[in-house]
């Protein structure tokens, strides 16, 4: 869960920012896209896990953990961009 959260909340936004900085010249659009990619997983993850007979407990832990970690990562991303 920790590695997935690190990738989802930190590495995705940094990668998107770096890759799209060559294409998108408007800083507001670029920063918005990078921060959007740093958002935590939606609660729909748990609903889909329940409907598909997957481990919904693990999905809810994943969503909860990402929400808590995004309280730290989103302000940091905002300061970086």
């Amino acid at each position: 869960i920790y590695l997935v959260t690190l990738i989802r909340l930190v590495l995705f936004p940094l990668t998107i920012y770096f890759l799209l900085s060559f294409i998108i010249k408007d800083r507001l659009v670029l920063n918005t896209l990078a921060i959007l990619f740093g958002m935590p997983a939606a609660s729909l993850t748990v609903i889909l896990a329940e409907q598909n007979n997957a481990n919904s407990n693990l999905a809810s832990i994943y969503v909860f953990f990402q929400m808590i970690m995004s309280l730290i990562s989103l302000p940091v991303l905002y300061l970086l961009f």
Side-chain angles (χ1 to χ4, degrees), residues 18-45:
F18 176 73
L19 291 176
L20 292 181
S21 65
F22 298 111
I23 300 169
I24 299 174
K25 299 302 177 196
D26 187 3
R27 301 245 328 140
L28 179 64
V29 173
L30 184 62
N31 293 346
T32 303
L33 284 172
I35 289 177
L36 282 175
F37 268 85
M39 293 294 177
S43 57
L44 184 62
T45 306

Side-chain angles (χ1 to χ4, degrees), residues 31-80:
N31 293 346
T32 303
L33 284 172
I35 289 177
L36 282 175
F37 268 85
M39 293 294 177
S43 57
L44 184 62
T45 306
V46 180
I47 296 169
L48 291 174
E50 187 75 29
Q51 287 179 350
N52 294 316
N53 297 325
N55 191 349
S56 60
N57 288 335
L58 181 62
S60 63
I61 291 170
Y62 173 71
V63 169
F64 175 75
F65 186 71
Q66 278 203 348
M67 289 291 188
I68 297 300
M69 293 308 294
S70 70
L71 294 175
I72 298 167
S73 68
L74 285 175
V76 170
L77 287 175
Y78 180 75
L79 291 175
L80 285 175

Side-chain angles (χ1 to χ4, degrees), residues 5-18:
T5 301
L6 176 71
I7 291 170
R8 173 88 175 127
L9 297 179
V10 177
L11 293 180
F12 273 2
L14 293 176
T15 303
I16 289 299
Y17 187 84
F18 176 73

